[in-house]
């Protein structure tokens, strides 16, 4: 999945950004009534106005994160949900990294221009930002393996068997030893 999804999302992100540069202006255009506008913003920092003017550093960081996630995906097979989450994170990091290193700023164009209290002053964003956010949410929702717990339980059972403690309840099948 990552071998197809990451380049596909990266290409779509860059295509939408090129379209935004050609067709949008800083004046908001309604897309979905009063909920979503298309507004061109040249972001020289990170979200919420943080790290303004730090595009080269943020770009390098974005590429390192994206490359690291691709390396993780290439070295190990993940269940579908974590693989999707890591792919979205990688695509988003690489998408904004291309902008920061190539242009010196990120092209943002999606504007939640609503008066709803929680999102009234939400920053303008792009597809790469959506990928990062969705990837992070999916990663948090992905079921965790209980490997650590089962390994600890297996080691505990092995210690129990070595000490002869398994036969206390007459159940010797738990660790493979025989009771007398």
């Amino acid at each position: 999945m990552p071998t197809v999804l990451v380049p596909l999302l990266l290409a779509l992100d860059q295509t939408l950004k090129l379209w935004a540069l050609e067709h949008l202006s800083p004046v908001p255009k309604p897309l979905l009534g009063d909920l979503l506008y298309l507004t061109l913003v040249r972001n020289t920092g990170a979200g919420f106005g943080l790290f303004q003017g730090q595009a080269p550093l943020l770009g390098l960081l974005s590429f390192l994160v994206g490359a690291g996630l691709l390396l993780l995906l290439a070295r190990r097979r993940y269940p579908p949900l974590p693989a999707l989450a890591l792919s979205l994170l990688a695509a988003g990091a690489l998408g904004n990294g291309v902008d920061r290193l190539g242009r010196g700023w990120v092209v943002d164009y999606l504007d939640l221009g609503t008066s709803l209290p929680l999102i009234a002053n939400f920053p303008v964003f792009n597809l790469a930002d959506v990928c990062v956010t969705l990837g992070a949410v999916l990663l948090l929702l992905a079921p965790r393996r209980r490997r650590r717990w089962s390994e600890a339980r297996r080691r505990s059972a092995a210690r129990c068997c070595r000490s002869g403690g398994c036969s206390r309840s007459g159940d010797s099948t738990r660790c493979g030893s025989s009771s007398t």
Side-chain angles (χ1 to χ4, degrees):
M1 174 178 20
T3 54
V4 174
L5 189 60
V6 173
L8 187 73
L9 287 171
L10 186 56
L12 181 59
D13 175 63
Q14 292 301 305
T15 301
L16 288 171
K17 288 174 179 175
L18 287 173
W19 178 87
L21 286 170
E22 290 290 320
H23 296 94
L24 298 179
S25 73
V27 177
K29 290 183 182 178
L31 181 65
L32 293 174
D34 285 338
L35 180 63
L36 184 65
Y37 290 84
L38 295 174
T39 307
L40 182 63
V41 172
R42 296 172 189 223
N43 184 356
T44 60
F48 299 98
L50 300 173
F51 306 110
Q52 291 299 315
Q54 299 295 320
L57 176 63
L58 292 170
L60 180 61
L61 201 58
S62 294
F63 265 120
L64 289 175
V65 167
L69 291 170
L70 288 176
L71 189 62
L72 277 176
L73 287 164
R75 287 190 169 186
R76 183 172 167 213
R77 187 174 179 94
Y78 288 91
L81 190 58
L84 175 62
L86 293 172
S87 298
L88 288 167
L89 286 166
L94 292 170
N96 282 337
V98 166
D99 276 13
R100 287 185 177 112
L101 292 177
R103 292 184 181 94
W105 40 272
V106 174
V107 178
D108 287 331
Y109 52 87
L110 296 171
D111 185 0
L112 295 174
T114 180
S115 60
L116 293 174
L118 291 176
I119 56 176
N121 295 313
F122 200 80
V124 179
F125 57 99
N126 59 44
L127 179 62
D129 298 330
V130 172
C131 289
V132 168
T133 303
L134 187 58
V137 168
L138 290 176
L139 201 56
L140 290 172
L141 295 176
R144 303 284 186 262
R145 292 175 124 183
R146 296 193 175 231
R147 193 167 81 195
R148 288 185 189 133
W149 182 79
S150 61
E151 285 175 11
R153 187 173 173 199
R154 202 173 332 122
R155 275 182 270 175
S156 175
R159 278 193 301 269
C160 177
C161 290
R162 277 186 254 130
S163 67
C166 290
S167 60
R168 69 182 157 188
S169 65
D171 180 15
S172 61
T173 59
R174 206 170 71 185
C175 65
S177 65
S178 59
S179 65
T180 55

